Amino acid sequence: QTDTSKYVTDVRNSAIGAIGDSMAGGFDENNDVLNQLIIQLFPQTATGIFLERWASFFGITRNSGFQAIGNVVFTGTAATSIPSATLVQKADNTQYATTALGTISTQSISVANITRSGTVATVTTSSNHNLGTGVTVTISGAVETDYNISVLITVTGATTFTYTVAGSPTTPATGTILAAFTTALVPIQASTFDNAGNAIAGTQLALVSPLSNVDNTCYVDYAGLVGGLNVETDEALRIRLQERTANFTAPF
């Protein structure tokens, strides 16, 4: 047949042409699979479960992700309960659940001293205050009455916080000084196993669903939300594996 357009493999929808195309596609897929298998044959290039299997030969396992934990400070009406498993979330929508029942109560702790620099008063409490930046605290008992106000605070330590004071009262303050607040310190845990759950002190979280007599915003305490860790990546696992295989030191 001299007319090449009539060759059987060139005829549109011919059976032999379809078989040829199918076989060629199959061979191409098999080559792709072989190329992937070659990658998985060596720990320097293996990925996923294949890398984990290489690591297991040397007693190395992939590090799991961990949930961030910590405490938040709720405010609201005294004697109001905050149930365990109450959901709160950060601005980036990372969610947390309370891990214990909390009850809002009015508390008062002793103030060891108040010093002033300009308009900033620094309070040192006699014990851990368990507060978060943004909470309202009422200072009373100072002889210098400019210190005695209800004010939003900025937490700077486990036993210290600052607030803005008017006037120029004598520093340090004198008298038997108390700091009063209506709060509940409640432990929470991130819902995700990654470092997105970590948060610094003073971070504001919001209730996912409103609770009666509980303010919508709560505050991370001075210790922060910590411990959140991503699942170990292939590259990090590979580094540990190569470190192990490159350093056979002593048989001990």
Side-chain angles (χ1 to χ4, degrees), residues 8-115:
V8 68
T9 55
D10 292 333
V11 175
R12 183 177 177 84
N13 297 328
S14 69
I16 292 179
I19 291 172
D21 289 345
S22 297
M23 292 180 69
F27 294 150
D28 186 59
E29 288 185 359
N30 286 340
N31 284 333
D32 288 342
V33 171
L34 288 173
N35 287 332
Q36 287 300 312
L37 289 175
I38 290 171
I39 290 173
Q40 307 304 344
L41 281 174
F42 304 97
Q44 292 86 349
T45 55
T47 61
I49 60 174
F50 299 98
L51 178 60
E52 291 175 357
R53 186 166 186 178
W54 273 109
S56 70
F57 296 154
F58 299 93
I60 299 172
T61 57
R62 189 187 298 273
N63 290 327
S64 301
F66 291 94
Q67 296 163 286
I69 58 173
N71 298 299
V72 292
V73 182
F74 284 92
T75 56
T77 303
T80 302
S81 293
I82 301 163
S84 179
T86 295
L87 296 179
V88 295
Q89 65 183 15
K90 280 197 301 183
D92 63 4
N93 294 323
T94 301
Q95 288 197 350
Y96 307 80
T98 58
T99 57
L101 173 69
T103 301
I104 297 174
S105 62
T106 299
Q107 307 161 62
S108 183
I109 59 175
S110 297
V111 172
N113 63 70
I114 302 179
T115 58

Side-chain angles (χ1 to χ4, degrees), residues 216-240:
N216 187 63
T217 301
C218 57
Y219 310 88
V220 176
D221 77 348
Y222 179 70
L225 301 177
V226 298
L229 185 66
N230 291 331
V231 175
E232 187 174 28
T233 64
D234 279 358
E235 288 311 307
L237 177 58
R238 193 188 325 280
I239 288 171
R240 292 201 295 131

Side-chain angles (χ1 to χ4, degrees), residues 186-222:
V186 183
I188 64 172
Q189 183 177 56
S191 58
T192 56
F193 290 77
D194 55 34
N195 58 16
N198 296 331
I200 62 173
T203 299
Q204 295 185 14
L205 309 180
L207 287 167
V208 173
S209 298
L211 287 175
S212 180
N213 296 321
V214 178
D215 294 335
N216 187 63
T217 301
C218 57
Y219 310 88
V220 176
D221 77 348
Y222 179 70

